[in-house]
């Protein structure tokens, strides 16, 4: 017999608040509500990224941005 270990997958989740959407640059505060993770990688859709748990990002140009949060646990599961 052999033992098989199945590792849990973290759940990535976040919300955001636009601190000032009527001016450029616009600052956005992100709140990380991921579960089961120890490391976090943010892609802000403007070429910037961060490893900060709850980052704030400044957007210098008007537009629509796709934000991605990758949550990783201590087993390397994403």
């Amino acid at each position: 017999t052999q033992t098989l270990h199945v590792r849990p997958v973290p759940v990535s989740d976040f919300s955001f608040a636009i601190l000032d959407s009527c001016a450029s640059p616009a600052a956005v505060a992100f709140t990380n509500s991921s579960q089961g993770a120890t490391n976090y990688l943010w892609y802000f859709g403007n070429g910037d990224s961060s490893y900060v748990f709850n980052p704030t990002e400044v957007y210098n140009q008007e537009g629509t941005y796709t934000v991605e949060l990758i949550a990783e646990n201590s087993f390397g599961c994403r």
Side-chain angles (χ1 to χ4, degrees), residues 33-44:
S33 53
S34 300
Q35 296 180 4
T38 55
N39 298 305
Y40 309 93
L41 176 57
W42 294 87
Y43 292 106
F44 298 113

Side-chain angles (χ1 to χ4, degrees), residues 1 10 14 20-21 35 38 41 43 47 49 55 67-68 72 76-77:
T1 64
F14 69 92
D20 185 359
S21 64
Q35 296 180 4
T38 55
L41 176 57
Y43 292 106
S49 61
V67 177
E68 179 181 10
E72 180 180 80
C77 302

Side-chain angles (χ1 to χ4, degrees), residues 11-73:
V11 176
S12 178
D13 191 23
F14 69 92
S15 59
F16 65 92
I18 301 172
L19 304 177
D20 185 359
S21 64
C22 295
S24 182
V28 180
F30 293 93
T31 301
N32 186 339
S33 53
S34 300
Q35 296 180 4
T38 55
N39 298 305
Y40 309 93
L41 176 57
W42 294 87
Y43 292 106
F44 298 113
N46 61 355
D48 290 349
S49 61
S50 175
Y51 293 100
V52 174
F53 185 77
N54 288 321
T56 299
E57 179 66 9
V58 175
Y59 291 88
N60 292 310
Q61 296 182 359
E62 178 183 341
T64 301
Y65 299 89
T66 300
V67 177
E68 179 181 10
L69 171 58
I70 299 172
E72 180 180 80
N73 64 20

